[in-house]
Amino acid sequence: MAFTLAQLPLSPRFSLLHSRFWIETLPTPMPAPHTVALNHALAEELGLVFGDDAADFLLGNRLPQDSQPLASVYSGHQFGVNVPQLGDGRALLIAEFCGLDGAHWEMQLKGAGPTPFSRRGDGRAVLRSSIREYLASEALHHLGIPTTRALAIAGSPQAVWRETRETAAVVTRLAPTFVRFGHFEYFFYQGEPERVRELADWVIAHHYPQCRDASNPYLAMLEQVISRTTTLIAHWQAVGFCHGVMNTDNMSILGLTLDYGPYGFLDGFDAGHICNHSDENGRYAYNQQPQIGLWNLHCLAQSLLPLIEKDALLAALSKYQELFEVAFSEQLRAKLGFAEWIEDDWTLVTDLFELMQTTHTDWTIFWRTLSHWVLQRNDGELSDFFADRMAFLQWLQRYKQRTVDDVTDEERSKKMLTTNPKYILRNYLVEIAIQRAQAGDFSEIERLQQCLTHPFDEQPEHENYAKLPPNWASELSVSCSS
Ligand code: AMP
Ligand code: MG
């Protein structure tokens, strides 16, 4: 039976943890709620129907029946520095429920007002950042990348001050759990090993049940987290996604993309691309993401010291590099359309990346065009992407030789076209949707989202979204929390 936001079939889990983990906190109502975006497809999967009063619930002015909203406490390493306490400063867990999809979900309202963990923040999110989170979560999901989901955006004319006056919005987001590495870190640094254990037991029971019977379930859990993190980052690298703020409080214990802030997709390839304007040293640059994943896992592992022998922790972490290489080579194998990956292929891709780096070849368009080249063999079209055409044509020759295997050109091209997306959420596309929304027209959000629901399909009506970005795109800059 379908249900409305008022009637969510609640099924508490996180809120059953000890009260050290959270503080009951009500949303702070805002005037004149309106919906900005509704994800009807996701709602339908869940069995959820948006009623006429949906905006009231999505803004936090009304609550699902029996809901006891709470803010959870966590800490984390921000730009390498341990911050003893962070926590949900503007996100509230308003419901834990079972959907008709058979899954159990945590539902958060992000931007619903101050919490005991807001520190100096106002507990709010602006329309701009809410649109960014909404579109990116859904874009990544449809690219097949693990992520939290976005169900809706609601807005209010209430003023929120950032660099200028903006207006408030709330994203309703969903995940099997929003538990972060930082939740473990908080209790470790507080000297509460019993809470570290309680949380690990909870995560295993609900999210890694396969670890329960291992000789050390906590070690088995860590191994799972390591494996999922490598898979996640390999996906990011393959699609050219830069997270922007890979602090440990933004790292999901389930290996999901979490907390969309100053993220960005690569346009022209630049290995050292920094999408976050505030990240002056490029700690979270595109090519740093894999090793930052490991750094962050070290922080998580340290917090598990009460549960796992140090040597076993280090042994688990020592597998990261190899796991990442396996995961990334799997992505590259598919992007290149090979049946199998061989060691020499690393040289082939490294040489390609060097050529792309020199010309800042558009990441997405290059791979898509290569997927067509396999059938059409239009060397000229591809080599146009490179300043040094001769060098590229030599590379193409090597690639051609490498594609002599059992796979037919038709099959190869078809598979590559389901791996190399035509449509990604380019920064400038989000910017256009934001500008229109700020002027009161939300239709571009919907149009863009519809397109990105099928990123691998040809969509003639959306051809414009697949073009090279305009010149002004390179001047866009995004920085931390908004
Ligand atoms: P972020 O880097 O956006 O993931 O946020 C880091 C920390 O700052 C988290 O604890 C957030 O809850 C908190 N935070 C970010 N923006 C705000 C805000 N406007 N009001 C209160 N807390 C915030
Ligand atoms: Mg965060």
Side-chain angles (χ1 to χ4, degrees), residues 55-162:
D56 289 322
F57 290 90
L58 298 170
L59 205 65
N61 288 6
R62 290 175 67 188
L63 287 171
Q65 224 165 40
D66 300 324
S67 157
Q68 288 185 322
L70 55 89
S72 74
V73 65
Y74 55 83
S75 64
H77 283 75
Q78 297 189 312
F79 290 89
V81 178
N82 188 20
V83 182
Q85 192 195 291
L86 294 161
D88 294 322
R90 54 173 169 171
L92 290 173
L93 178 66
I94 59 147
E96 303 182 76
F97 70 99
C98 292
L100 294 189
D101 56 347
H104 187 273
W105 294 97
E106 292 182 5
M107 179 184 278
Q108 284 194 342
L109 297 184
K110 183 170 175 180
T115 79
F117 308 114
S118 295
R119 297 177 296 156
R120 282 188 303 267
D122 56 10
R124 294 300 181 193
V126 295
L127 181 61
R128 172 172 49 92
S129 64
S130 304
I131 293 171
R132 286 177 55 80
E133 171 141 6
Y134 178 84
L135 286 175
S137 336
E138 291 308 291
L140 260 67
H141 172 73
H142 292 287
L143 286 165
I145 304 178
T147 175
T148 61
R149 302 294 304 274
L151 180 68
I153 309 173
S156 161
Q158 180 161 309
V160 175
W161 286 92
R162 293 297 179 255

Side-chain angles (χ1 to χ4, degrees), residues 185-360:
E185 291 178 272
Y186 177 75
F187 290 100
F188 173 73
Y189 286 104
Q190 289 289 315
E192 296 179 62
E194 67 284 11
R195 297 289 160 242
V196 174
R197 182 181 298 271
E198 181 183 348
L199 184 59
D201 285 337
W202 183 92
V203 168
I204 291 168
H206 295 300
H207 301 286
Y208 293 111
Q210 69 275 32
C211 297
R212 237 180 328 214
D213 299 328
S215 58
N216 182 340
Y218 307 116
L219 178 61
M221 177 190 81
L222 177 66
E223 286 168 347
Q224 289 289 316
V225 182
I226 293 172
S227 162
R228 288 209 196 176
T229 304
T230 58
T231 306
L232 174 70
I233 299 176
H235 268 109
W236 287 353
Q237 300 307 103
V239 80
F241 177 79
C242 308
H243 182 283
V245 204
M246 287 177 71
N247 293 333
T248 56
D249 50 300
N250 292 337
M251 295 293 291
S252 151
I253 202 70
L254 300 184
L256 308 172
T257 312
L258 170 62
D259 277 10
Y260 292 85
Y263 67 83
F265 283 83
L266 293 181
D267 290 321
F269 179 68
D270 175 11
H273 178 66
I274 304 166
C275 61
N276 178 358
H277 191 64
S278 328
D279 181 10
E280 280 149 24
N281 298 320
R283 179 179 171 86
Y284 299 136
Y286 170 74
N287 59 4
Q288 298 301 305
Q289 296 189 126
Q291 70 189 57
I292 287 291
L294 176 59
W295 196 94
N296 290 345
L297 283 159
H298 267 100
C299 294
L300 174 66
Q302 167 140 356
S303 304
L304 298 176
L305 271 170
L307 308 178
I308 310 172
E309 291 282 325
K310 189 174 165 201
D311 287 349
L313 284 177
L314 291 174
L317 291 166
S318 72
K319 298 194 187 111
Y320 179 93
Q321 187 59 30
E322 193 189 331
L323 284 169
F324 176 75
E325 279 170 24
V326 169
F328 191 39
S329 62
E330 173 51 25
Q331 293 290 326
L332 292 169
R333 181 200 63 72
K335 289 183 87 63
L336 288 157
F338 297 161
E340 276 169 64
W341 184 261
I342 57 172
E343 202 50 34
D344 281 352
D345 292 336
W346 286 115
T347 319
L348 191 71
V349 290
T350 310
D351 293 347
L352 173 64
F353 290 170
E354 272 173 26
L355 290 165
M356 292 179 91
Q357 177 76 33
T358 312
T359 319
H360 287 205

